[in-house]
Amino acid sequence: MNTPVIGVLALQGDVREHLIALAAADAVARPVRRPEELAEVDGLVIPGGESTTISKLAALFGMLEPLRERVRAGMPVYGTCAGLIMLADKILDPRSGQETIGGIEMIVRRNAFGRQNESFEATVDVLGVGPVEGVFIRAPWVESVGAETEVLAEHGGHIVAVRQGNALATSFHPELTGDHRMHALFVDMVRAAG
Ligand SMILES: NC(=O)CC[C@H](N)C(=O)O
């Protein structure tokens, strides 16, 4: 594959920052809102924001099933924060009616780091990448993972980065730091899948 085309799910959340980070990591990046747009990308980033809102809008825009299908078919996907929640097979504390795309065998806890610690930065050692500065904003953590899920990083004894096949997810926001190594890792995954 030459330059991979990577979409950023643009229903809600910090879309622009991901578009910039992907472009810096040598991908062609574009927003994706509709099934026709999803069909044209080689990989997809699901940004942070509010997972309940993203879930609602994905259903409203007729995107939930197309997203599930493409993830099931092996399209590389990277979820950050609320995006990680969207990739979980199970949410421990969902709002009523809250749906996910799924794809990673894991159970996640929303807003897990608690009120005292709603937003913070921490250095996180990511397997295969090294130490990165993680920005956590009302972040989830991963309570437990299945046999096929690889844990890439922990913070304070909690899982904050995982990978299963072509699906990557982090509790933190790498798009806010100007360090594009997590996006570069994902662009490599998209290239390898093509
Ligand atoms: N920064 C974020 O993406 C926050 C996630 C949010 N707390 C949620 O449950 O969706």
Side-chain angles (χ1 to χ4, degrees):
M1 184 185 297
N2 299 328
T3 307
V5 178
I6 302 185
V8 179
L9 187 65
L11 301 174
Q12 192 251 353
D14 61 340
V15 175
R16 195 173 153 266
E17 290 79 358
H18 278 291
L19 291 171
I20 292 168
L22 286 166
D26 292 329
V28 171
R30 50 166 88 140
V32 164
R33 283 188 196 87
R34 317 201 156 271
E36 309 85 78
E37 293 164 342
L38 178 64
E40 284 174 2
V41 296
D42 303 311
L44 185 75
V45 168
I46 305 175
E50 178 53 52
S51 58
T52 53
T53 307
I54 296 174
S55 161
K56 247 186 256 160
L57 292 174
L60 201 68
F61 278 63
M63 285 292 276
L64 258 183
E65 275 315 313
L67 284 164
R68 285 175 177 151
E69 267 165 38
R70 282 221 62 193
V71 170
R72 232 182 277 133
M75 174 187 69
V77 63
Y78 176 20
T80 60
C81 204
L84 169 141
I85 297 169
M86 291 302 295
L87 291 178
D89 282 352
K90 191 169 182 321
I91 307 174
L92 204 62
D93 48 354
R95 285 257 205 98
S96 82
Q98 180 171 7
E99 301 220 51
T100 71
I101 297 162
I104 300 183
E105 209 186 320
M106 62 178 171
I107 301 175
V108 302
R109 183 184 290 274
R110 299 178 52 223
N111 306 318
F113 287 96
R115 288 204 170 276
Q116 302 293 315
N117 222 349
E118 281 211 325
S119 297
F120 59 96
E121 288 184 30
T123 304
V124 182
D125 202 2
V126 180
L127 196 70
V129 177
V132 301
E133 207 47 31
V135 179
F136 294 79
I137 305 167
R138 301 185 64 223
W141 70 46
V142 179
E143 283 280 332
S144 63
V145 294
E148 303 297 311
T149 313
E150 193 183 354
V151 173
L152 300 185
E154 296 190 9
H155 175 70
H158 302 288
I159 300 167
V160 294
V162 294
R163 178 174 176 177
Q164 183 174 337
N166 279 336
L168 176 71
T170 58
S171 297
F172 53 88
H173 292 258
E175 73 284 7
L176 301 177
T177 58
D179 173 349
H180 306 305
R181 283 175 300 155
M182 289 305 302
H183 290 82
L185 167 67
F186 182 59
V187 173
D188 283 345
M189 284 170 60
V190 178
R191 273 214 184 85

